[in-house]
PDB file of all heavy atoms in Angstrom:
ATOM      1  N   GLU M 284     280.699  70.438 232.301  1.00 95.00           N
ATOM      2  CA  GLU M 284     281.318  69.709 231.170  1.00 95.00           C
ATOM      3  C   GLU M 284     281.280  70.516 229.836  1.00 95.00           C
ATOM      4  O   GLU M 284     282.200  70.578 229.070  1.00 95.00           O
ATOM      5  CB  GLU M 284     280.531  68.453 230.900  1.00 95.00           C
ATOM      6  CG  GLU M 284     280.844  67.293 231.924  1.00 95.00           C
ATOM      7  CD  GLU M 284     280.348  65.939 231.460  1.00 95.00           C
ATOM      8  OE1 GLU M 284     280.073  65.773 230.238  1.00 95.00           O
ATOM      9  OE2 GLU M 284     280.201  65.069 232.321  1.00 95.00           O
ATOM     10  N   GLN M 285     280.186  71.390 229.741  1.00 96.00           N
ATOM     11  CA  GLN M 285     280.107  72.182 228.531  1.00 96.00           C
ATOM     12  C   GLN M 285     281.244  73.285 228.595  1.00 96.00           C
ATOM     13  O   GLN M 285     281.891  73.566 227.568  1.00 96.00           O
ATOM     14  CB  GLN M 285     278.812  72.906 228.440  1.00 96.00           C
ATOM     15  CG  GLN M 285     278.544  73.882 227.252  1.00 96.00           C
ATOM     16  CD  GLN M 285     277.184  74.499 227.271  1.00 96.00           C
ATOM     17  OE1 GLN M 285     276.290  74.042 227.826  1.00 96.00           O
ATOM     18  NE2 GLN M 285     277.141  75.577 226.415  1.00 96.00           N
ATOM     19  N   SER M 286     281.482  73.864 229.675  1.00 97.00           N
ATOM     20  CA  SER M 286     282.491  74.943 229.826  1.00 97.00           C
ATOM     21  C   SER M 286     283.940  74.207 229.636  1.00 97.00           C
ATOM     22  O   SER M 286     284.771  74.888 229.048  1.00 97.00           O
ATOM     23  CB  SER M 286     282.418  75.570 231.234  1.00 97.00           C
ATOM     24  OG  SER M 286     281.197  76.382 231.318  1.00 97.00           O
ATOM     25  N   VAL M 287     284.150  73.119 230.117  1.00 97.00           N
ATOM     26  CA  VAL M 287     285.394  72.414 230.045  1.00 97.00           C
ATOM     27  C   VAL M 287     285.611  72.204 228.538  1.00 97.00           C
ATOM     28  O   VAL M 287     286.760  72.460 228.043  1.00 97.00           O
ATOM     29  CB  VAL M 287     285.468  71.159 230.714  1.00 97.00           C
ATOM     30  CG1 VAL M 287     286.721  70.233 230.299  1.00 97.00           C
ATOM     31  CG2 VAL M 287     285.467  71.383 232.296  1.00 97.00           C
ATOM     32  N   ARG M 288     284.663  71.714 227.755  1.00 96.00           N
ATOM     33  CA  ARG M 288     284.680  71.591 226.317  1.00 96.00           C
ATOM     34  C   ARG M 288     285.087  72.809 225.625  1.00 96.00           C
ATOM     35  O   ARG M 288     285.921  72.860 224.692  1.00 96.00           O
ATOM     36  CB  ARG M 288     283.488  70.898 225.715  1.00 96.00           C
ATOM     37  CG  ARG M 288     283.294  69.435 226.006  1.00 96.00           C
ATOM     38  CD  ARG M 288     282.264  68.708 225.134  1.00 96.00           C
ATOM     39  NE  ARG M 288     280.922  69.365 225.295  1.00 96.00           N
ATOM     40  CZ  ARG M 288     279.998  68.984 226.240  1.00 96.00           C
ATOM     41  NH1 ARG M 288     280.369  67.959 226.987  1.00 96.00           N
ATOM     42  NH2 ARG M 288     278.866  69.637 226.452  1.00 96.00           N
ATOM     43  N   GLU M 289     284.360  73.820 226.014  1.00 97.00           N
ATOM     44  CA  GLU M 289     284.610  75.152 225.384  1.00 97.00           C
ATOM     45  C   GLU M 289     286.087  75.551 225.740  1.00 97.00           C
ATOM     46  O   GLU M 289     286.786  76.190 224.758  1.00 97.00           O
ATOM     47  CB  GLU M 289     283.759  76.188 225.883  1.00 97.00           C
ATOM     48  CG  GLU M 289     283.924  77.641 225.337  1.00 97.00           C
ATOM     49  CD  GLU M 289     282.847  78.672 225.865  1.00 97.00           C
ATOM     50  OE1 GLU M 289     281.889  78.291 226.409  1.00 97.00           O
ATOM     51  OE2 GLU M 289     283.222  79.902 225.808  1.00 97.00           O
ATOM     52  N   MET M 290     286.526  75.443 226.846  1.00 97.00           N
ATOM     53  CA  MET M 290     287.874  75.875 227.226  1.00 97.00           C
ATOM     54  C   MET M 290     288.961  75.065 226.592  1.00 97.00           C
ATOM     55  O   MET M 290     289.983  75.580 226.109  1.00 97.00           O
ATOM     56  CB  MET M 290     288.109  75.703 228.733  1.00 97.00           C
ATOM     57  CG  MET M 290     289.307  76.343 229.323  1.00 97.00           C
ATOM     58  SD  MET M 290     289.167  76.617 231.048  1.00 97.00           S
ATOM     59  CE  MET M 290     290.883  77.012 231.401  1.00 97.00           C
ATOM     60  N   THR M 291     288.814  73.777 226.282  1.00 97.00           N
ATOM     61  CA  THR M 291     289.755  72.888 225.748  1.00 97.00           C
ATOM     62  C   THR M 291     289.519  72.538 224.228  1.00 97.00           C
ATOM     63  O   THR M 291     290.204  71.580 223.806  1.00 97.00           O
ATOM     64  CB  THR M 291     289.856  71.623 226.594  1.00 97.00           C
ATOM     65  OG1 THR M 291     288.522  70.941 226.577  1.00 97.00           O
ATOM     66  CG2 THR M 291     290.218  72.013 228.004  1.00 97.00           C
ATOM     67  N   THR M 292     288.668  73.306 223.552  1.00 97.00           N
ATOM     68  CA  THR M 292     288.419  72.957 222.092  1.00 97.00           C
ATOM     69  C   THR M 292     289.018  74.156 221.354  1.00 97.00           C
ATOM     70  O   THR M 292     288.893  75.334 221.684  1.00 97.00           O
ATOM     71  CB  THR M 292     286.960  72.924 221.913  1.00 97.00           C
ATOM     72  OG1 THR M 292     286.418  71.781 222.606  1.00 97.00           O
ATOM     73  CG2 THR M 292     286.702  72.727 220.367  1.00 97.00           C
ATOM     74  N   ASP M 293     289.682  73.801 220.280  1.00 97.00           N
ATOM     75  CA  ASP M 293     290.272  74.803 219.343  1.00 97.00           C
ATOM     76  C   ASP M 293     289.213  75.604 218.714  1.00 97.00           C
ATOM     77  O   ASP M 293     288.268  75.121 218.158  1.00 97.00           O
ATOM     78  CB  ASP M 293     291.132  74.110 218.265  1.00 97.00           C
ATOM     79  CG  ASP M 293     291.720  75.113 217.232  1.00 97.00           C
ATOM     80  OD1 ASP M 293     292.013  76.189 217.617  1.00 97.00           O
ATOM     81  OD2 ASP M 293     291.790  74.661 215.984  1.00 97.00           O
ATOM     82  N   HIS M 294     289.430  77.010 218.742  1.00 97.00           N
ATOM     83  CA  HIS M 294     288.495  77.909 218.200  1.00 97.00           C
ATOM     84  C   HIS M 294     288.923  78.623 216.960  1.00 97.00           C
ATOM     85  O   HIS M 294     288.279  79.441 216.478  1.00 97.00           O
ATOM     86  CB  HIS M 294     288.000  78.964 219.290  1.00 97.00           C
ATOM     87  CG  HIS M 294     287.326  78.329 220.489  1.00 97.00           C
ATOM     88  ND1 HIS M 294     286.040  77.872 220.432  1.00 97.00           N
ATOM     89  CD2 HIS M 294     287.697  78.161 221.679  1.00 97.00           C
ATOM     90  CE1 HIS M 294     285.660  77.443 221.635  1.00 97.00           C
ATOM     91  NE2 HIS M 294     286.737  77.486 222.395  1.00 97.00           N
ATOM     92  N   LEU M 295     290.150  78.327 216.579  1.00 97.00           N
ATOM     93  CA  LEU M 295     290.814  79.137 215.532  1.00 97.00           C
ATOM     94  C   LEU M 295     290.485  78.572 214.185  1.00 97.00           C
ATOM     95  O   LEU M 295     290.316  77.258 213.991  1.00 97.00           O
ATOM     96  CB  LEU M 295     292.272  79.244 215.828  1.00 97.00           C
ATOM     97  CG  LEU M 295     292.828  79.798 217.078  1.00 97.00           C
ATOM     98  CD1 LEU M 295     294.283  79.964 217.019  1.00 97.00           C
ATOM     99  CD2 LEU M 295     292.087  81.049 217.459  1.00 97.00           C
TER     100      LEU M 295
END
Side-chain angles (χ1 to χ4, degrees):
E284 289 190 17
Q285 179 180 343
S286 291
V287 169
R288 284 194 300 271
E289 178 178 343
M290 189 165 170
T291 60
T292 297
D293 175 32
H294 297 286
L295 305 187

